[in-house]
């Protein structure tokens, strides 16, 4: 009975960390969602250059967790990693705010351009370590009983699914405020205030995180177990410096700690309990790097098939926003809808529809599939990918209509088509988010052993990182190909001559091809729980 009660809800530390994650998303989205407008209107970049800059920056930000995760898992603990990375995060936000202030006073200052670059790099560096560590630390707050391997009930997966679902709900709530409130402030009151508010918000989230130190569960490996957070933070710095100087990594020689670590990796089977000495020898001989590499390589095919989904999700912050600038945005005589605020439709649809996922969708899915879980994680991701393809088809049709109406009014920069026509593609992307993004978080976290949980979250974020770079590469290739024929680029600065509709059709076709390979891979993929169950036999 006690176990059933615990699975009904998340504990206080989980809830606090979800709030902190929401505040961080408010800060990040307050910068990222309208950055393309800042680059075109203030920095004076072209549309394609601004889009590629945003894509590359988002890609760099999302790829950094892969580099930092191994450091966080091997050298540091999650708690000190969060504190250290948040420092770089805030410094980057302060620097970005100062660039907006400098441009307001000295519009032609070339120094601000390079300073802008370094400020964005600092934000990337901070967020790259902060996000995966915070999410993995949040998952650590779940009761220890739910983490026993080879359990035959579904309490562990149910509670883990609940955590990732509410985590994403909190993240979307912060993103919604960041997109709607900050884009309006930036367009109305200027960029200095528009960047200063996210900075203050991030500082607030760090104070909240620090204040909850006594209630957190610290699941640490090695010598840091049982230490206070600040002591762990200092000790982690000393150990990292020592290991870098000695150019080697030493694992604890304590048998009890090795057993505790290995129980997270191996099924709780009688034959494994008799191999403690072998495991200890393997850890000393450095077998973990090889095993970690095998885990990552096993997930690479599935990771690759998700890249086109990530490419599609770069469009709302870039070309969808530029589309909105050229459409009718008036509400009444005085108010104009900021184009970037339409990104809020994604998060609104997630916030409104996510509670219905468990209450309506899963019961219906149980009837159709005759499976108690309704759908598994692989099916959940696949449904979201299909919805994202439909969203791009709708986006192409709307853009075709916008171009037709623009050509009827050649002397007007604004097409006589309401910006509301863009809402369906945003909403569909929001619904696909509920399926694919939440599924990706659970998939990558569950498919790695306990020693690699930060790496699991990093693999999830890296999908969007590589997707951003892939999006920038596609833009460059399309530009080269379309201009080689002596015509206007598909991404022409004159939106009446651009052909974003063709680009959207291209993305839909590539995503459909990726979806086909994904379905084939799903038939051959075996989950970690299935492999562990076989080892128990």
């Amino acid at each position: 009975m006690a176990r059933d009660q615990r699975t009904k809800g998340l504990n206080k530390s989980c809830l606090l960390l979800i709030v902190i994650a929401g505040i961080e998303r408010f800060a990040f989205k307050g910068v990222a969602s309208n950055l393309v407008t800042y680059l075109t209107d203030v920095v004076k970049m072209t549309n394609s250059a601004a889009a590629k800059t945003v894509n590359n920056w988002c890609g760099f930000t999302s790829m950094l967790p892969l580099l930092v995760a191994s450091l966080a898992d091997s050298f540091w603990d999650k708690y000190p990693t969060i504190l250290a990375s948040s420092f770089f995060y805030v410094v980057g936000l302060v620097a970005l705010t100062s660039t907006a202030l400098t441009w307001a006073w000295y519009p032609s200052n070339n120094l601000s351009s390079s300073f802008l670059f370094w400020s964005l790099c600092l934000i990337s560096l901070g967020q790259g370590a902060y996000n995966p560590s915070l999410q993995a630390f949040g998952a650590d707050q779940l009761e220890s009983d739910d983490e026993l391997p080879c359990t035959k009930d579904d309490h562990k997966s149910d509670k883990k699914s609940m955590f990732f679902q509410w985590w994403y709900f909190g993240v979307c709530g912060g993103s919604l405020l960041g997109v709607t409130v900050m884009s309006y402030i930036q367009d109305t009151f200027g960029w200095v205030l528009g960047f200063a508010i996210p900075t203050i918000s991030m500082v607030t989230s760090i104070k909240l995180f620090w204040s909850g130190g006594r209630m957190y569960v610290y699941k640490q490996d090695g010598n840091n177990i049982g230490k206070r957070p600040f002591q762990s933070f200092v000790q982690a710095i000393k150990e990292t410096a020592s290991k870098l100087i000695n150019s080697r990594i030493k694992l604890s020689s304590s048998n009890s700690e090795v057993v505790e670590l290995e129980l997270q990796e191996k099924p709780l089977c009688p034959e494994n309990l008799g191999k403690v000495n072998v495991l200890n020898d393997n850890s000393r001989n450095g077998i973990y790097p090889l095993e970690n590499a095998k885990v990552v390589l096993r997930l690479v095919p599935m990771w690759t098939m998700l890249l086109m989904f990530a490419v599609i999700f770069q469009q709302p912050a870039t070309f969808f926003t530029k589309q909105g600038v050229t459409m009718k945005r008036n509400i009444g005589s005085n108010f104009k809808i900021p184009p970037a605020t339409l990104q809020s439709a994604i998060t609104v649809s997630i916030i409104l529809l996510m509670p219905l996922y468990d209450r309506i969708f899963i019961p219906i899915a149980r009837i159709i599939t005759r499976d108690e879980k309704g759908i598994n994680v692989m099916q959940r991701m696949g449904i979201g990918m299909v919805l994202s393809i439909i969203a791009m088809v709708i986006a192409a049709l709307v853009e075709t209509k916008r171009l037709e109406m623009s050509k009827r009014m050649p002397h007007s920069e604004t097409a006589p088509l309401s910006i509301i026509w863009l809402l369906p593609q945003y909403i569909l992307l929001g619904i696909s988010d509920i399926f694919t993004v939440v599924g990706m978080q659970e998939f990558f976290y569950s498919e790695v052993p306990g020693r690699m949980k930060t790496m699991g979250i990093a693999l999830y974020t890296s999908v969007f990182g590589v997707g951003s770079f892939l999006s920038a590469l596609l833009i460059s290739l399309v530009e080269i190909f379309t201009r080689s024929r002596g015509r206007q680029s598909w991404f022409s600065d004159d939106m009446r001559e651009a052909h974003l509709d063709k680009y959207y059709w291209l993305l839909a076709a590539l995503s459909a091809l990726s979806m086909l390979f994904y379905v084939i891979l799903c038939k051959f993929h075996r989950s970690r729980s299935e492999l562990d169950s076989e080892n128990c036999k």
Side-chain angles (χ1 to χ4, degrees):
M1 179 63 70
R3 185 180 183 86
D4 292 338
Q5 290 297 324
R6 283 199 306 271
T7 58
K8 287 184 179 179
L10 302 174
N11 55 37
K12 291 181 180 179
S13 55
C14 277
L15 295 175
L16 175 62
L17 291 170
I18 287 172
V19 171
I20 291 169
I23 297 174
E24 184 276 330
R25 283 292 90 185
F26 169 80
F28 183 76
K29 284 294 184 179
V31 172
S33 62
N34 210 19
L35 185 61
V36 68
T37 305
Y38 181 69
L39 295 177
T40 53
D41 294 355
V42 179
V43 188
K44 305 301 181 184
M45 287 186 178
T46 63
N47 287 342
S48 60
K52 285 187 285 187
T53 300
V54 172
N55 285 333
N56 285 327
W57 177 61
C58 290
F60 179 64
T61 304
S62 299
M63 282 298 295
L64 269 177
L66 275 181
L67 303 177
V68 179
S70 57
L71 179 68
D73 284 333
S74 302
F75 292 91
W76 289 48
D77 293 313
K78 301 178 187 71
Y79 187 91
T81 303
I82 293 166
L83 291 178
S85 59
S86 61
F87 171 76
F88 291 103
Y89 206 145
V90 170
V91 170
L93 288 170
V94 170
L96 181 64
T97 306
S98 68
T99 63
L101 186 62
T102 304
W103 252 305
W105 290 346
Y106 309 103
S108 59
N109 192 334
N110 291 328
L111 181 62
S112 295
S113 298
S114 58
F115 201 60
L116 171 66
F117 170 79
W118 287 111
S119 65
L120 292 175
C121 285
L122 279 173
I123 293 172
S124 297
L125 180 63
Q127 201 219 39
Y130 184 92
N131 268 356
S133 299
L134 186 68
Q135 190 166 6
F137 188 68
D140 283 350
Q141 306 308 304
L142 300 175
E143 284 86 346
S144 57
D145 331 7
D146 294 327
E147 306 239 350
L148 288 175
C150 273
T151 179
K152 291 188 178 181
D153 56 47
D154 291 328
H155 290 303
K156 176 181 173 182
S157 59
D158 288 346
K159 193 152 192 183
K160 195 174 291 181
S161 295
M162 180 191 298
F163 168 76
F164 284 113
Q165 196 150 306
W166 282 106
W167 180 276
Y168 199 58
F169 186 86
V171 163
C172 288
S175 299
L176 173 62
L177 290 176
V179 169
T180 53
V181 175
M182 294 317 305
S183 59
Y184 175 76
I185 290 174
Q186 288 159 358
D187 287 356
T188 308
F189 300 102
W191 294 95
V192 177
L193 183 62
F195 289 151
I197 293 176
T199 305
I200 296 169
S201 301
M202 191 62 201
V203 172
T204 303
S205 73
I206 296 168
K207 289 183 178 179
L208 275 176
F209 178 75
W210 182 270
S211 67
R214 292 186 177 181
M215 76 168 70
Y216 297 142
V217 174
Y218 299 94
K219 296 183 181 178
Q220 301 166 334
D221 299 325
N223 297 327
N224 287 333
I225 297 175
K227 294 184 179 179
R228 292 182 180 179
F230 184 74
Q231 291 175 331
S232 298
F233 181 67
V234 174
Q235 183 66 22
I237 296 175
K238 291 180 180 179
E239 289 181 1
T240 303
S242 174
K243 288 168 184 175
L244 290 175
I245 291 172
N246 295 330
S247 299
R248 65 191 179 199
I249 300 173
K250 293 182 179 179
L251 293 177
S252 170
S253 60
S254 169
N255 287 345
S256 62
E257 290 167 4
V258 172
V259 173
E260 181 180 352
L261 176 62
E262 289 301 325
L263 282 176
Q264 297 181 38
E265 335 297 341
K266 306 287 182 181
L268 194 60
C269 307
E271 58 270 24
N272 288 335
L273 295 177
K275 298 181 180 179
V276 173
N277 292 331
V278 176
L279 294 173
N280 192 25
D281 292 339
N282 285 342
S283 65
R284 288 177 177 175
N285 293 333
I287 197 171
Y288 273 178
L290 178 61
E291 292 300 317
N292 292 353
K294 288 181 180 178
V295 171
V296 172
L297 287 174
R298 191 174 70 85
L299 298 175
V300 164
M302 201 63 65
W303 179 90
T304 305
M305 293 305 105
L306 293 165
L307 289 178
M308 281 309 303
F309 177 83
V311 170
I312 287 177
F313 259 82
Q314 305 309 313
Q315 308 315 308
T318 53
F319 292 125
F320 283 12
T321 300
K322 295 307 295 182
Q323 272 182 278
V325 172
T326 65
M327 301 173 77
K328 287 177 63 178
R329 298 183 284 131
N330 295 74
I331 295 180
S333 56
N334 298 322
F335 181 75
K336 278 190 174 183
I337 301 173
T341 59
L342 282 192
Q343 295 174 48
S344 64
I346 296 176
T347 47
V348 167
S349 57
I350 293 170
I351 291 171
L352 293 179
L353 297 177
M354 187 174 285
L356 302 180
Y357 177 84
D358 287 322
R359 295 176 180 270
I360 296 177
F361 178 80
I362 291 299
I364 295 174
R366 284 172 182 160
I367 296 173
I368 297 173
T369 63
R370 296 181 181 179
D371 188 332
E372 183 60 29
K373 291 183 178 180
I375 58 172
N376 58 38
V377 175
M378 311 291 287
Q379 292 168 335
R380 181 171 186 165
M381 291 191 292
I383 291 171
M385 293 168 70
V386 171
L387 291 174
S388 69
I389 296 170
I390 297 172
M392 292 313 301
V393 171
I394 293 175
L397 294 173
V398 172
E399 176 62 6
T400 301
K401 185 67 175 179
R402 186 195 69 81
L403 286 171
E404 289 176 357
M405 299 186 77
S406 294
K407 291 176 180 178
R408 296 175 189 171
M409 302 182 67
H411 302 294
S412 174
E413 295 183 357
T414 302
L417 184 67
S418 174
I419 196 173
I420 303 300
W421 280 93
L422 296 180
L423 277 179
Q425 62 206 55
Y426 279 102
I427 293 171
L428 267 176
L429 286 181
I431 300 173
S432 70
D433 233 346
I434 296 173
F435 288 91
T436 302
V437 176
V438 177
M440 285 167 61
Q441 291 177 357
E442 184 179 350
F443 174 77
F444 286 110
Y445 185 86
S446 301
E447 290 296 308
V448 297
R451 67 180 180 271
M452 296 177 64
K453 292 305 183 185
T454 306
M455 177 63 77
I457 302 298
L459 282 169
Y460 146 68
T461 60
S462 68
V463 171
F464 292 94
V466 176
S468 297
F469 288 128
L470 186 58
S471 178
L473 177 63
L474 274 174
I475 293 172
S476 297
L477 292 176
V478 168
E479 266 197 313
I480 293 171
F481 180 76
T482 54
R483 281 181 174 172
S484 64
R485 297 183 175 184
R487 300 176 181 177
Q488 284 279 0
S489 166
W490 285 2
F491 312 113
S492 172
D493 290 340
D494 185 353
M495 292 296 288
R496 291 170 297 185
E497 299 295 328
H499 280 286
L500 293 180
D501 54 335
K502 295 180 180 180
Y503 181 63
Y504 293 157
W505 282 116
L506 175 64
L507 292 183
L510 292 175
S511 297
L513 184 62
S514 179
M515 181 66 199
L516 177 62
F517 285 114
Y518 175 82
V519 172
I520 296 172
L521 275 176
C522 285
K523 293 184 180 296
F524 296 97
H525 179 80
R526 297 164 72 192
S527 68
R528 182 169 172 258
S529 60
E530 290 174 342
L531 295 174
D532 287 348
S533 297
E534 290 179 3
N535 291 333
C536 281
K537 294 179 181 179

